[in-house]
């Protein structure tokens, strides 16, 4: 739905986040929008992750941190790294077992597979933080029921007492042809 609506192409990250939040709420999930959690990037105040999916058992809550990128250039890669690090290091004071990094990608449809491969390799080879190390398993999640405009990577990390799974969703926000 998000990726198929051409009107979303020029929308800002906060607008796309509200759209994602509303979709999740329509599906029956309880969503917190920018609650205080952990620390800000400067560590001088509380952090504000974009979305948290709340379940009865708070140990099952899911942190969602979206960002907007145009491709896999240096600026986009730094923005992606910063969001991943912020999600894992700053906002994760509750020890979320599952976190989701959502990238709204506004490149051409032809370039989208290259962007997917770039971030898959980045997630597979590099540690988002010194705290949890490189992933033990990192694999693309491919399902014929998922649109070709969405790519998902699942990375499982194992460390003493804390083993998060991070999903990276790349959502291609199309421009009208």
């Amino acid at each position: 739905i998000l990726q198929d609506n051409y009107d979303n192409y020029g929308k800002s990250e906060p607008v796309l986040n509200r759209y994602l939040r509303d979709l999740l709420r329509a599906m029956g999930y309880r969503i917190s929008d920018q609650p205080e959690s952990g620390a800000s990037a400067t560590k001088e105040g509380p952090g504000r992750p974009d979305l948290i999916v709340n379940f009865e058992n708070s140990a099952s809550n899911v942190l969602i941190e979206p960002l907007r990128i145009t491709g896999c250039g240096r600026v986009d890669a730094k923005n992606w790294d910063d969001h991943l690090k912020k999600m894992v290091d700053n906002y994760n004071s509750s020890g979320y077992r599952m976190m989701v990094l959502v990238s709204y990608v506004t490149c051409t449809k032809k370039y989208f597979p290259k962007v997917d491969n770039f971030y898959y390799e980045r997630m597979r080879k590099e540690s988002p933080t010194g705290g949890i190390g490189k992933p033990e398993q990192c694999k693309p999640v491919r399902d014929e029921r998922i649109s070709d405009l969405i790519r998902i990577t699942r990375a499982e990390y194992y460390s003493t007492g804390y083993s998060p799974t991070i999903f990276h969703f790349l959502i291609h926000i199309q421009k009208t042809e």
Side-chain angles (χ1 to χ4, degrees):
I1 295 174
L2 184 64
Q3 74 281 1
D4 289 328
N5 185 343
Y6 291 116
D7 292 336
N8 288 327
Y9 182 80
K11 302 281 172 55
S12 68
E13 180 185 321
V15 170
L16 294 172
N17 291 349
R18 285 193 298 275
Y19 191 94
L20 178 60
R21 178 202 63 203
D22 293 346
L23 284 173
L24 291 168
R25 284 181 176 164
M27 295 172 65
Y29 292 103
R30 292 179 314 165
I31 306 296
S32 297
D33 192 346
Q34 296 194 346
E36 290 185 359
S37 180
S40 67
T42 62
K43 309 269 188 200
E44 294 179 9
R48 292 208 170 267
D50 287 309
L51 302 170
I52 294 179
V53 182
N54 299 290
F55 294 96
E56 292 297 323
N57 174 359
S58 64
S60 299
N61 289 354
V62 177
L63 186 142
I64 302 175
E65 184 63 20
L67 72 148
R68 187 180 170 97
I69 56 176
T70 58
C72 45
R74 191 176 41 137
V75 172
D76 283 326
K78 182 178 181 335
N79 188 22
W80 187 87
D81 290 343
D82 289 348
H83 273 74
L84 183 60
K85 183 172 176 29
K86 189 169 50 170
M87 183 176 72
V88 174
D89 287 347
N90 296 56
Y91 298 159
N92 196 22
S93 61
S94 299
Y96 295 100
R97 296 193 190 290
M98 185 178 298
M99 293 175 271
V100 180
L101 185 65
V102 176
S103 296
Y104 306 122
V105 184
T106 58
C107 66
T108 64
K109 192 170 184 176
K110 181 179 174 183
Y111 191 58
F112 186 63
K114 180 178 179 180
V115 174
D116 173 36
N117 188 61
F118 177 83
Y119 289 103
Y120 166 73
E121 288 298 326
R122 195 165 194 84
M123 195 164 204
R124 185 175 72 83
K125 291 181 180 175
E126 298 182 19
S127 170
T129 173
I132 62 174
K134 291 183 180 180
E136 290 289 321
Q137 289 186 14
C138 187
K139 58 187 174 189
V141 177
R142 298 294 185 254
D143 187 318
E144 66 277 354
R145 294 170 293 181
I146 297 174
S147 166
D148 64 343
L149 302 175
I150 298 174
R151 294 286 187 260
I152 303 168
T153 297
R154 175 187 174 130
E156 296 177 11
Y157 297 82
Y158 301 102
S159 61
T160 308
Y162 176 61
S163 302
T165 296
I166 298 175
F167 286 90
H168 178 221
F169 282 69
L170 280 162
I171 302 176
H172 186 230
I173 307 294
Q174 299 183 84
K175 184 176 185 177
T176 56
E177 302 283 332

